[in-house]
Amino acid sequence: MSWQQWVSAQLGEVRAANRWRELTLFNANLMISFASNDYLGLSKHPVVLQAAIDALHRDGAGATASRLVVGTRAVHAELEHAIAQWQHTDRALVLPSGYQANVAAMTVLGAADATIFSDELNHASIIDGCRLAKARCVVYRHSDMQHLRELLQSAPGRKLVVSDIVFSMDGDVAPLHELAQLCAEHDALLVLDEAHAVLQSPERLSCETLRIGTLSKTLGSQGGWIAGAADVIDLLINRARSFIFTTALAPASAAAALAALKIVISDEGERLRAHLRRLVAVLEPNHSSPVIPFVLGDETSALRAAAHLHDCGFQVPAIRPPSVAAGTSRLRIALSAEHQLEDVHRLRGLLMHIRQEWAA
Ligand SMILES: Cc1ncc(COP(=O)(O)O)c(C=O)c1O
């Protein structure tokens, strides 16, 4: 089979499975978007923008090489210090993306004599890190602490448990205290991905913990980070291929993230989170994150619902396999402090209409 035939057969498979995806033009002006992860609306905050502009003029458009080769800019060090303080850890390391941060942590800590225990709904970047790691990987049922306990009991050697704090497609929160207790009992390192944990304040847990996050969601910039014990950060700097063999995080992205982080921990950040909590309560009382799934089942229904909302001026992405399990295709609603209460009430009305009309 030629390459051309193989590629068109592959494309045929994607289409036949009703999983065809294509890139559409970003249009911020005509639509109200519930697609972005800019949870506090900081990507366009004037202070954040100015910090990025100043860094562009000071440090240039790109970092120009890996940090081990070209050196660390002052803004990288300042951001790492601020992240470590925010997360109550000794040190932090920033990388060009959250994806690379998860790959770095899993590949370096997941050495051949270790076992990684990973929640079945963890983000793809954790899964890919596990695939690249030499460790044995064991998947436990979603947030099922009894299952995790049984698996931990029967595993020899060093153990690492990894979980999203807020799961990216369901918006539910991992049982952090139970996870920490199990890890303490079994001498396991707990690795937590806080990418969507905008409404959870970083807290100290009762076990050894490594924290991973992204600069691209709550902080509205671009890049990723790992925060933990000083020795672990040194090991990552020396061993993590997704840190060593890539150009460093752009200084302007680091500066924007640093300015955003200062807002997050200020009174203004508290006000933004309070507004976001009010918006979440409109769609889903007692939900603890701005990610709200509206499950429709099959791919066609999810696509139809997204198209209907699009016609009404709302951008709400349809999420289909392989991002979610077959039969759980959905709309993924991401709320942001930028939204107005009226927008969310209107969306709620449209969603109720979809449920009633389509169920009939
Ligand atoms: C839970 C989680 N971890 C990691 C990432 C990757 O972060 P980044 O977009 O910075 O690569 C994402 C999303 O993109 C995510 O949802």
Side-chain angles (χ1 to χ4, degrees), residues 55-132:
L56 273 175
H57 289 294
R58 188 181 60 233
D59 294 322
T64 71
S66 156
R67 288 225 339 245
L68 287 172
V69 173
V70 79
T72 286
R73 307 299 204 288
V75 69
H76 290 136
E78 217 189 315
L79 175 60
E80 286 171 347
H81 182 70
I83 290 172
Q85 275 198 327
W86 177 45
Q87 294 293 321
H88 312 294
T89 58
D90 294 345
R91 278 175 64 194
L93 181 69
V94 293
L95 296 92
S97 73
Y99 183 100
Q100 284 163 282
N102 273 324
V103 169
M106 292 303 113
T107 50
V108 170
L109 298 167
D113 58 340
T115 306
I116 300 176
F117 300 84
S118 177
D119 188 291
E120 68 178 326
L121 293 190
N122 275 341
H123 187 257
S125 55
I126 296 177
I127 297 171
D128 291 356
C130 291
R131 286 178 181 166
L132 278 173

Side-chain angles (χ1 to χ4, degrees), residues 97-99 102 123 125 164 166 168 193 195-196 214-217 223-224:
S97 73
Y99 183 100
N102 273 324
H123 187 257
S125 55
D164 285 358
V166 170
S168 53
D193 179 336
H196 303 275
T214 172
L215 306 174
S216 68
K217 303 187 195 309

Side-chain angles (χ1 to χ4, degrees), residues 13-347:
E13 276 181 27
V14 178
R15 281 187 198 278
N18 207 7
R19 291 181 187 174
W20 184 255
R21 289 166 159 88
E22 57 192 18
L23 298 171
T24 55
L25 210 57
F26 179 76
N27 191 341
N29 296 328
L30 300 176
M31 308 280 288
I32 300 174
S33 175
F34 290 90
S36 105
N37 298 315
D38 190 9
Y39 297 128
L40 296 182
L42 295 181
S43 76
K44 296 208 200 82
H45 192 291
V47 173
V48 173
L49 294 182
Q50 193 56 51
I53 292 165
D54 292 346
L56 273 175
H57 289 294
R58 188 181 60 233
D59 294 322
T64 71
S66 156
R67 288 225 339 245
L68 287 172
V69 173
V70 79
T72 286
R73 307 299 204 288
V75 69
H76 290 136
E78 217 189 315
L79 175 60
E80 286 171 347
H81 182 70
I83 290 172
Q85 275 198 327
W86 177 45
Q87 294 293 321
H88 312 294
T89 58
D90 294 345
R91 278 175 64 194
L93 181 69
V94 293
L95 296 92
S97 73
Y99 183 100
Q100 284 163 282
N102 273 324
V103 169
M106 292 303 113
T107 50
V108 170
L109 298 167
D113 58 340
T115 306
I116 300 176
F117 300 84
S118 177
D119 188 291
E120 68 178 326
L121 293 190
N122 275 341
H123 187 257
S125 55
I126 296 177
I127 297 171
D128 291 356
C130 291
R131 286 178 181 166
L132 278 173
K134 299 212 164 61
R136 192 168 73 95
C137 293
V138 179
V139 175
Y140 62 91
R141 287 193 292 273
H142 178 50
S143 287
D144 184 337
M145 294 300 100
Q146 187 49 37
H147 191 212
L148 176 59
R149 180 186 294 280
E150 285 158 19
L151 294 169
L152 280 167
Q153 271 159 358
S154 58
R158 277 177 305 107
K159 299 169 187 122
L160 181 161
V161 175
V162 59
S163 177
D164 285 358
I165 294 182
V166 170
F167 290 88
S168 53
M169 293 300 144
D170 290 271
D172 57 328
V173 183
L176 293 190
H177 291 281
E178 289 94 322
L179 276 171
Q181 199 183 329
L182 272 182
C183 286
E185 280 168 25
H186 292 273
D187 251 338
L189 173 67
L190 178 58
V191 179
L192 294 173
D193 179 336
E194 72 89 67
H196 303 275
V198 55
L199 297 178
Q200 284 68 32
S201 332
E203 54 175 323
R204 288 178 212 276
L205 293 168
S206 60
C207 67
E208 210 178 326
T209 312
L210 188 72
R211 292 159 186 283
I212 297 178
T214 172
L215 306 174
S216 68
K217 303 187 195 309
T218 303
L219 299 179
S221 179
Q222 181 89 38
W225 54 263
I226 305 174
D231 279 354
V232 174
I233 300 298
D234 276 336
L235 187 64
L236 290 165
I237 292 171
N238 281 278
R239 291 259 176 87
R241 296 171 65 84
S242 62
F243 170 75
I244 298 170
F245 296 106
T246 192
T247 298
L249 173 68
S253 298
L258 178 60
L261 178 51
K262 288 179 184 165
I263 295 170
V264 165
I265 58 179
S266 72
D267 290 348
E268 183 180 355
E270 198 40 66
R271 281 196 299 279
L272 291 168
R273 280 190 295 276
H275 177 56
L276 184 56
R277 282 194 191 94
R278 276 195 293 277
L279 300 178
V280 170
V282 171
L283 287 188
E284 193 81 59
N286 304 321
H287 192 72
S288 305
S289 83
V291 177
I292 300 179
F294 187 78
V295 177
L296 287 145
D298 62 290
E299 285 95 325
T300 310
S301 302
L303 288 171
R304 211 175 121 218
H308 174 67
L309 292 175
H310 186 273
D311 291 345
C312 302
F314 291 90
Q315 185 191 20
V316 187
I319 306 288
R320 300 171 279 156
S323 305
V324 292
T328 71
S329 289
R330 65 193 66 188
L331 299 173
R332 177 184 184 271
I333 303 154
L335 294 171
S336 162
E338 262 195 328
H339 291 133
Q340 306 296 316
L341 260 177
E342 313 76 87
D343 301 333
V344 181
H345 277 290
R346 272 186 64 211
L347 177 64

